[in-house]
DNA sequence: TTTCCACACGCAAACGTTTGCGTTACCTAC
DNA sequence: GTAGGTAACGCAAACGTTTGCGTGTGGAAA
């Protein structure tokens, strides 16, 4: 089990100095052609690869991007990562992914860990707990140390930095609008508790759409779900015998769960009730009936976020005090779970 | 925008040497209590964090694990990652995730990149292209440089190293067995082309189960799918008017697609045809009807893989020439897509 | 007063690179 | 023969740590 070969070893073998080897490998004219070739041949033979760690230490940059997301087992976030990886790799950056598991503490730990030398900048979507706690010191500290941060999706208004979001309210309004435009009038919404920023925004969009149609909002048509993992009973209870003709769910899970319980309650989708979801995931696509939904274009978000970050990383420090917020357009993907009603 | 504070800066401010600061922070008895407290107070104030890069360089280890998977947008792999992260974090390791996107080249690039200083060891599941190409030099090189590798799921028999797998053949046999035991006799299989190791193994398991029941295998009940992304038409064609009473799909996508096309062809699941899948993902769980499937226990795989790797990393080099293969038990998760037939 | 010891701290090397500049040695030209 | 130039290479510092060992200072014991 041979060890990694270093410049020093090559130097010793060839009886030249370390700097000669280094320069030879970079084709410096300072070194004779002869020596250059000898060194390169030797390096290839022993499969020399410069040690990234040493380079990072010397250059004070790691060429890697840290991505921290609330959940790794989540289709939307993985598509975002896909986008990030795409542009990162193009530009010669590595990507480190950590999941906070929606825990504030783990988010702090991960961020500090990566911030102390492992990454040059961050792309992150904050944990649920962080949104609840409103404690952002770790993010601010990271930025104070000169490392750029790009927030996406679950962002924090109070923090000034680059951001990539969708217009959640607008998307939700479009979704609700679609339901209204096909004739639905009693639209229930399945949303999250208010401290989840995107949930609240989507709820707002829903309300806005109703108002635009002069429809009075009704408390009993709004369900704010706290415990996402055990939402089925709650949704079932909520939907039972309710006089509605449509359901807008702010995420995929709520949408399919609604479809499931409505099914069990003998309702036909989309004939009796239309359903529209949010996030174009694998579930929406393959469910029967396939679900009409709002696509967040996760990959695009990742691409834009990575570009913003790399711009900051490679820009001169002079222009770096300007922050941008990119809003990705959502789009309505029409499938089988919504249908024009006859009334 | 202040920079990261280093030992050197603290030393200068306090007018002591760097080593004194370093030792003071580690509570060395060499340093007077007075100085220790002063240094620590100062360090806290300026939020000193040791630079990981420098530590890595010094210690010749990074305390990070590299994970390379074929696809990041894939529920099974993300659950595995979840398991890896769990034990890695417990043991103070960082996790870097890269996806090869099933491309051989990207797998090589990622591995070499991480191998040149960013990670101490690897957990990886090889890309489709790699399995096809049978070119494993990058993995062997990495191991030759003294970095342990743990292969999981899509492994390579020719490489000697730690491995974590499920008994794919056995799982497939159990799946098929279940279909046979509830009375099905004409069982079709939707599988992948043979160069995908797990696909082939699952096909073998299917055949074994048939033989155990003295059922003649029939070529026309076996569909080997190459283009996973556009499998619907192929599956629809294959299943049309076929005299079968059950379908065994080697992955989730094939299973739901089968369910969908059978639905369209007017068959009832599970009344007319039973379906069983492989991989307990989000689709199987939420589909209607929910899908009976074989669970691979992805998180367990991740946990075991991480443990194997860390054992190697932290063990003395003397015992390190022994490699283990851990086989994770699969289990049958019975849901609504399979049902005892009356015959 | 001398000797010794312990305490408190600093020096320097090491990890693997890169790079500006200094240093040879040889050659050319005058 | 000497000055000057140039080709080819080595030195050393720097990135931020850690740590064994050397060193200076002081006090106490003899």
């Amino acid at each position: 089990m041979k060890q990694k070969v270093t410049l020093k070893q090559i130097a010793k073998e060839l009886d030249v100095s370390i700097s000669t080897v280094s320069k030879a490998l970079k084709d410096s004219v300072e070194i004779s052609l002869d020596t250059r070739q000898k060194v390169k041949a030797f390096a290839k033979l022993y499969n020399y690869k410069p040690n990234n760690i040493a380079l990072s230490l010397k250059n004070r940059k790691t060429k890697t991007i840290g991505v921290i997301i609330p959940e790794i087992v989540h289709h939307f976030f993985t598509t975002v990562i896909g986008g990030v990886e795409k542009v990162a790799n193009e530009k010669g950056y590595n990507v480190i992914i950590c999941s906070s598991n929606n825990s504030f503490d783990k988010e702090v730990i991960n961020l500090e860990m990566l911030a102390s030398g492992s990454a040059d900048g961050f792309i992150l979507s904050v944990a649920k707990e962080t949104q609840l706690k409103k404690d952002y010191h770790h993010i601010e500290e990271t930025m104070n140390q000169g490392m750029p941060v790009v927030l996406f999706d679950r962002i924090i208004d109070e923090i000034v930095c680059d951001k990539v979001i969708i217009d959640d309210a607008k998307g939700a309004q479009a979704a609700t609008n679609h339901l209204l435009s096909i004739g639905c009038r009693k639209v229930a919404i399945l949303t999250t508790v208010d401290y989840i920023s995107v949930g609240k925004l989507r709820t707002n969009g829903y309300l806005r759409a109703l108002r635009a149609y002069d429809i009075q909002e009704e408390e009993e048509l709004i369900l704010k779900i706290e415990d996402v993992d055990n939402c089925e009973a709650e949704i079932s209870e909520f939907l039972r015998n309710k006089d509605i003709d449509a359901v807008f769910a702010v995420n995929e899970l709520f949408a399919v769960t609604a479809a499931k319980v409505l099914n069990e309650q003998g309702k036909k989708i989309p004939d009796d009730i239309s359903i529209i979801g949010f996030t174009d995931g694998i579930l929406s696509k393959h469910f029967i009936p396939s679900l009409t939904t709002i696509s967040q274009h996760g990959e695009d978000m990742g691409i834009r976020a990575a570009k913003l970050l790399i711009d900051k990383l490679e820009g001169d420090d002079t222009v770096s005090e300007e922050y941008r917020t990119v809003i990705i357009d959502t789009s309505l993907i029409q499938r089988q779970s919504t249908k024009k009603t006859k009334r």
Side-chain angles (χ1 to χ4, degrees), chain A:
Chain A
M1 197 182 297
K2 51 183 173 179
Q3 277 303 307
K4 302 223 60 171
V5 49
T6 70
L7 288 185
K8 190 192 270 189
Q9 291 168 36
I10 300 184
K12 202 201 283 183
E13 293 287 327
L14 261 43
D15 208 38
V16 292
S17 80
I18 296 181
S19 21
T20 302
V21 177
S22 175
K23 285 169 185 169
L25 288 175
K26 330 204 90 168
D27 250 333
S28 161
V29 290
E30 272 190 81
I31 308 301
S32 72
L33 210 75
D34 224 45
T35 315
R36 266 188 265 170
Q37 289 174 341
K38 234 187 310 181
V39 170
K40 283 202 231 161
F42 200 89
K44 206 157 300 168
L45 180 63
Y46 281 84
N47 193 29
Y48 169 79
K49 294 266 160 47
N51 182 321
N52 281 337
I53 294 285
L55 287 181
S56 298
L57 185 57
K58 183 125 194 47
N59 303 331
R60 277 113 146 315
K61 60 173 82 160
T62 61
K63 277 277 185 177
T64 95
I65 295 177
V67 178
I68 300 180
I69 53 175
E71 305 167 65
I72 179 91
V73 191
H74 195 305
H75 188 267
F76 167 66
F77 288 121
T78 55
T79 58
V80 174
I81 293 173
V84 171
E85 280 211 320
K86 211 173 217 170
V87 351
N89 287 348
E90 262 173 29
K91 305 247 185 181
Y93 281 79
N94 216 336
V95 178
I96 300 190
I97 297 152
C98 288
S99 98
S100 63
N101 254 321
N102 270 320
S103 141
F104 172 77
D105 289 335
K106 223 182 146 196
E107 185 175 291
V108 173
I109 291 176
N110 277 332
L111 189 59
E112 288 189 344
M113 179 168 222
L114 296 184
S116 54
S118 303
D120 297 334
F122 296 92
I123 294 177
L124 86 84
S125 187
V126 301
K128 234 183 254 179
E129 260 189 45
T130 309
Q131 297 209 101
L132 187 55
K133 253 187 137 160
K134 289 175 180 297
D135 181 348
Y136 316 130
H137 76 275
H138 53 306
I139 302 178
E140 280 160 349
E141 239 160 43
T142 306
M143 293 183 60
N144 277 338
Q145 288 172 354
M147 318 171 90
V149 171
V150 177
L151 256 32
F152 76 94
D153 195 52
R154 298 202 198 152
I155 65 165
I156 299 165
D157 290 331
E158 291 92 318
I159 293 193
V160 235
C161 66
D162 286 328
K163 290 166 189 170
V164 179
I165 50 173
I166 56 164
D167 190 334
D168 282 286
K170 192 169 155 198
Q173 190 172 355
T176 313
N177 242 330
H178 177 247
L179 294 173
L180 297 171
S181 75
I182 58 175
C184 302
R185 282 301 172 271
K186 307 283 278 180
V187 180
I189 178 174
L190 268 25
T191 182
T192 65
V193 286
D194 276 345
Y195 67 81
I196 306 288
S197 62
V198 297
K200 183 170 186 178
L201 288 169
R202 291 173 195 171
T203 310
N204 289 343
Y206 159 81
L207 295 175
R208 243 169 37 199
L210 291 186
R211 277 197 290 274
Y213 265 75
D214 269 332
I215 297 180
Q216 182 65 33
E217 68 176 86
E218 298 180 51
E219 271 304 327
E220 58 270 28
L221 293 188
I222 300 178
L223 177 63
K224 296 187 178 176
I225 297 168
E226 170 108 43
D227 183 6
V228 175
D229 292 326
N230 301 304
C231 60
E232 183 162 344
E234 205 173 344
I235 291 178
S236 177
E237 184 62 27
F238 172 75
L239 254 26
R240 189 177 310 282
N241 300 327
K242 197 144 273 180
D243 175 29
I244 54 175
D245 51 18
V247 172
F248 166 43
V250 302
N251 61 42
E252 216 175 29
L253 183 61
F254 291 174
V256 300
T257 307
K260 190 185 299 181
V261 306
L262 286 173
N263 237 337
E264 286 163 8
Q265 295 172 10
K267 311 275 183 148
K268 287 277 167 217
I269 299 164
D271 301 300
D272 298 334
I273 294 183
S274 283
I275 294 185
I276 190 167
F278 214 107
T279 290
D280 181 29
I282 203 165
L283 267 176
S284 308
K285 196 166 165 189
H286 292 291
F287 202 76
I288 302 181
S290 58
L291 263 35
T292 298
T293 193
I294 299 290
S295 168
Q296 305 180 73
H297 300 292
E299 190 174 1
D300 287 342
M301 290 189 77
I303 290 176
R304 296 306 299 267
K307 279 187 180 162
L308 279 180
L309 185 65
I310 294 179
D311 273 4
K312 267 283 130 75
L313 287 175
E314 303 195 335
D316 3 342
D317 298 331
T318 57
V319 296
S320 71
E321 285 308 325
E322 134 193 340
Y323 295 106
R324 284 177 290 177
T325 294
V326 174
I327 300 177
I328 303 281
D329 274 338
T330 57
S331 49
L332 181 80
I333 299 186
Q334 205 162 336
R335 296 212 183 88
Q336 302 167 348
S337 67
T338 54
K339 186 181 159 190
K340 216 170 182 63
T341 65
K342 39 221 153 267
R343 19 172 166 170

